Amino acid sequence: MSVDLGLSADQEAIADLFGGFFANESPTTVARAAEPFGFDADLWAKLIELGAPGMGSAVEHGGGGASLSDLVVVAEAFGRAIAPVPLLEHLAAALVLTDADVISGDAIATVAVRPADAAGVWHLVPAGAVAHVVVGLDGDELVAVRSTPPMVSPRNHASAPLADRSAREGERVVLGTAAAFAPVLDRWKVLTAAALVGVADAAMALGVQYVMDRQQFGVPVGSFQAVQHGLADLPVMIDGGRLLTHKAAWAIDSGDAGINDWRLNDITDGSTLASMAFVFTTDGAALATDRSLHYHGGYGFSEEYDIQLYYRRARGWSLVLDDPSIECLNLADRLFGPRGA
Amino acid sequence: MDFSLSPETLEFRQTIRDIVDRTVTPEVIDRMHTSGTFASPELNAELGRHGFFERAVPGLGKGDPIELWVLFNELEKAGAPYDGPAVALMIAGVVNALGTDEQKARIMPSIISGEAMVAMGYSEADYGSDVASIKTRAVKDGDEWVINGSKMWTTMAQAAKWLILLTRTDLDLPKHKGLTMFLLPMDTPGITVEPVHTLGTEVTNATYFDDVRVGDEAVLGGVNNGWRTMTTVLAFERGVMGGSNAAVPLLRHFHDWAASMGLLDSDVVRERLARSVIDMQVAALLTQRSAWIAASGGMPGLEGSMTKVFAAEAYQRISRWCQQMAGPAGLLQFHEQGAAGEGFVEYDARHSPVVTIYGGTTEINRNNIAERHLGLPKSR
Ligand SMILES: Cc1cc2nc3c(=O)[nH]c(=O)nc-3n(C[C@H](O)[C@H](O)[C@H](O)COP(=O)(O)OP(=O)(O)OC[C@H]3O[C@@H](n4cnc5c(N)ncnc54)[C@H](O)[C@@H]3O)c2cc1C
């Protein structure tokens, strides 16, 4: 064991496989065609054929036994393609589900990332409009509730299939106490962070391509230093986000109780790193899509160009949890102890 | 990816922590801030005695770049003066890569023992970012070179044993081609050093060269090959030797002071501290990546540019936040009653502006990233 910041050979293969899959099967025309609802059943069926929905589930339950680090590679490829399928939610929820139809992907599972309200309603659950099983907190209990997906969603910024779901009505199974939810939420944060890295990376590539193609004053606008410097801020946000996300996955995969020694910048606790990665990649994706959209000029504001698709998802995929400032306050509790400590 | 340090590296790290605890006392820090010479001979000698400098010379093969990263990351996080050793080791790396056997034998021992520091003379009063245009002349006279001109920002020249000096040896060649690098003793006759005082207390210098005579043994990396030597130095500089976690000690100072003042319950303070910790973690990972690239046989030049811009701006942001969050107590300097973070809050607010300037400004680094990473056309 010692520092190795490259992908393993297996992960390179995963990156090739899913990179190729999403490039072929989910160009941005697919995301566009799925708007505004944000779900493409055919694409999901193709992912089922690949075995993707059960990739992270245990082998003894018929899953692929992939580590979270492996799934991070998948999630980044997914994010780059803004694929209209609930893959990340499903992979996160599957951590606590062993139903055969969930592992195969025939039943879609998701995570209610925020607890149910007093009336037992989970609000604006990501993939809530299409999921058959929702995993989340209802009071002190971690529950899985199986019920018919509504298949409608309020129109929203990210064209995501969000919906309110009941934590009480349907086939309700208690999986554990509230504490058992933490690993599910950590997993969702890490996978979402990885997807946001993919969003940022794709947005940067669109921006770079555009400024090379677009000419003003007789030269590509990408030859103007002001434009170059705005874009030059992006690769480090992408690389930094990727490293931090992989570190979170590594910490979680290791299963060790890590440490939170911010005083010496020695942080190896999985939940802490998941939270950090989530906040950092939220900022990175927002910045990359902002800058890239801006350097498209007026065309960036038109529906016709793809950058607006990324701009909206960069915000929507993260905000379903909450204001990132609140995530920072939770993080502060972990790092510095609770208030009044 | 694997982020774990090997047991040997962890042991190495612990030894460094112990050495720093022993040698970088509050008195040493105080002396730095009163003298303006940011170096600790005690620390350097101890690290040298343990053989850590020898292990840390880039490319020498005695230790791996991950150790180099750990060494400087630990020094920086502890708030120890690491610029001196960083420069010395960087130059040792260049001597090792480009120097003659005679130069290696003559120069390396003094550096790896931790005894000698090196000053870098590249910038001039009129040429900083455009350093390839410098005017200091070296002219061949028989067996000797005669050097005339002046340098600006020659940090550590007041305490260094060696000087690495960029000169122009051919006026007719294009500007990058007519340069030669010298490595000479600081006490060579004809060199004058005058202090330049800075906002961050650290003293740097203007240096003057009047008929300074050296032989061919002082040429490093070949005549008219100075630009290549320069890029080798810069690749090390923007690599793994510190410059990424400057805010870590500041965060400790600020946090402990804020806790004592009951400020830690504020949402604003908590959010900013959390964001600061995130940025420092990312900066450390980016630097670790540069080290890993170097350990895998690559040259992390471009990654270094990216890391430098990110880490420098994060440190500036955090310094500004800490000073603001401290209120008026953030204005008070070392040893003043009630100074936030024992005066470090004020000091970092004063020191941080330099980090987007020295070692290549953020604009120059962004030019690099735009051209070499994003493939955009040259804008100058
Ligand atoms: C405390 C300190 C210590 C130093 N130590 C050393 C040392 O030991 N040895 C040494 O040789 N040098 C040293 N330097 C010098 C340092 O490397 C230079 O200051 C730096 O390279 C910038 O050069 P300059 O100061 O001449 O600024 P200039 O090059 O004049 O730049 C002024 C401004 O213009 C911008 N600019 C310049 N060119 C471009 C461009 N092409 N595109 C966009 N913007 C541009 C810069 O980014 C900057 O903001 C030190 C400097 C300081 C402040």
Side-chain angles (χ1 to χ4, degrees), chain A residues 264 266, chain B residues 13-21 74 77:
Chain A
L264 285 174
D266 197 359
Chain B
R13 185 175 78 174
Q14 190 54 50
T15 314
I16 294 164
R17 287 182 180 176
D18 294 343
I19 293 175
V20 170
D21 278 350
E74 288 306 316
K77 288 188 304 188

Side-chain angles (χ1 to χ4, degrees), chain A residues 225, chain B residues 120 122-123 128-129 153 155 354 357-359 361 363 367 380:
Chain A
Q225 197 180 46
Chain B
M120 298 186 292
Y122 316 130
S123 307
S129 299
W153 312 114
T155 307
V354 78
I357 300 170
Y358 65 12
T361 69
E363 282 73 28
N367 288 345
R380 286 149 295 155

Side-chain angles (χ1 to χ4, degrees), chain B residues 26-342:
Chain B
E27 293 73 45
V28 168
I29 301 277
D30 232 28
R31 189 186 63 211
M32 272 163 49
H33 287 280
T34 40
S35 70
T37 298
F38 277 40
S40 164
E42 307 84 341
L43 170 70
N44 298 348
E46 268 286 272
L47 291 171
R49 203 172 58 74
H50 278 79
F52 288 175
F53 283 160
E54 183 168 27
R55 275 163 78 168
V57 173
L60 190 63
K62 297 278 164 83
D64 74 19
I66 301 291
E67 278 187 2
L68 181 67
W69 171 71
V70 167
L71 172 61
F72 283 96
N73 191 236
E74 288 306 316
L75 296 180
E76 183 172 28
K77 288 188 304 188
Y82 67 87
D83 273 344
V87 170
L89 289 179
M90 201 153 75
I91 302 310
V94 178
V95 172
N96 181 59
L98 306 175
T100 61
D101 289 344
E102 185 276 327
Q103 286 173 323
K104 289 180 198 170
R106 184 162 48 86
I107 296 161
M108 299 281 271
S110 64
I111 294 180
I112 60 193
S113 67
E115 163 218 332
M117 282 191 285
V118 185
M120 298 186 292
Y122 316 130
S123 307
E124 296 183 359
D126 292 339
Y127 302 97
S129 299
D130 184 16
V131 70
S133 293
I134 53 104
K135 295 275 183 277
T136 293
R137 284 281 276 145
V139 179
K140 193 91 202 215
D141 177 23
D143 286 347
E144 287 185 331
W145 291 93
V146 185
I147 303 173
N148 278 288
S150 64
K151 293 286 171 180
M152 183 62 181
W153 312 114
T154 329
T155 307
M156 219 41 101
Q158 78 275 23
K161 180 179 173 73
W162 303 104
L163 172 69
I164 181 166
L165 184 65
L166 188 65
T167 66
R168 184 157 305 282
T169 35
D170 195 322
L171 296 175
D172 300 327
L173 292 172
K175 67 177 182 181
H176 291 89
K177 300 265 165 71
L179 299 169
T180 298
M181 194 75 87
F182 287 86
L183 183 54
L184 61 158
M186 252 331 287
D187 60 7
T188 311
I191 305 181
T192 320
V193 178
E194 281 184 9
V196 173
H197 297 278
T198 70
L199 181 59
T201 314
E202 183 172 17
V203 172
T204 176
N205 305 283
T207 39
Y208 301 90
F209 305 87
D210 294 304
D211 288 331
V212 173
R213 287 180 171 271
V214 291
D216 281 331
E217 81 287 345
V219 173
L220 182 63
V223 175
N224 290 343
N225 209 15
W227 191 249
R228 199 182 124 227
T229 312
M230 187 74 189
T231 49
T232 311
V233 182
L234 287 179
F236 289 134
E237 178 161 13
R238 293 178 191 151
V240 296
M241 297 191 211
S244 61
N245 271 178
V248 171
L250 170 61
L251 287 170
R252 281 196 304 272
H253 291 299
F254 176 79
H255 170 276
D256 295 354
W257 175 80
S260 75
M261 301 299 287
L263 291 178
L264 278 191
D265 286 349
S266 141
D267 277 0
V268 175
V269 171
R270 294 177 81 78
E271 175 174 358
R272 285 176 173 174
L273 286 180
R275 287 188 182 277
S276 303
V277 171
I278 296 176
D279 284 347
M280 286 301 99
Q281 180 66 202
V282 169
L285 288 172
L286 289 163
T287 322
Q288 198 177 11
R289 176 181 63 165
S290 292
W292 172 76
I293 291 172
S296 320
M299 258 291 192
L302 194 54
E303 287 77 9
S305 285
M306 288 166 49
T307 305
K308 182 172 191 269
V309 173
F310 175 82
E313 291 183 348
Y315 171 45
Q316 291 184 347
R317 182 165 57 242
I318 295 167
S319 306
R320 187 173 68 243
W321 276 348
C322 286
Q323 190 179 35
Q324 286 178 353
M325 292 188 291
L331 300 172
L332 299 181
Q333 300 195 321
F334 291 122
H335 301 300
E336 296 299 337
Q337 176 86 29
E342 295 173 342

Side-chain angles (χ1 to χ4, degrees), chain A residues 28-116:
Chain A
T28 49
T29 47
V30 170
R32 272 180 190 277
E35 296 216 320
F37 185 49
F39 176 60
D40 183 325
D42 291 340
L43 186 60
W44 184 251
K46 289 175 190 163
L47 282 167
I48 290 179
E49 277 171 44
L50 268 186
M55 238 183 116
S57 296
V59 178
E60 65 262 33
H61 297 127
S67 65
L68 182 55
S69 303
D70 296 341
L71 300 184
V72 158
V73 176
V74 177
E76 189 181 328
F78 161 90
R80 206 172 274 118
I82 51 171
V85 281
L87 183 60
L88 307 187
E89 294 87 345
H90 187 93
L91 288 169
L95 183 66
V96 288
L97 300 172
T98 52
D99 318 46
D101 61 349
V102 168
I103 290 168
S104 69
D106 293 310
I108 294 175
T110 192
V111 183
V113 291
R114 297 148 59 96

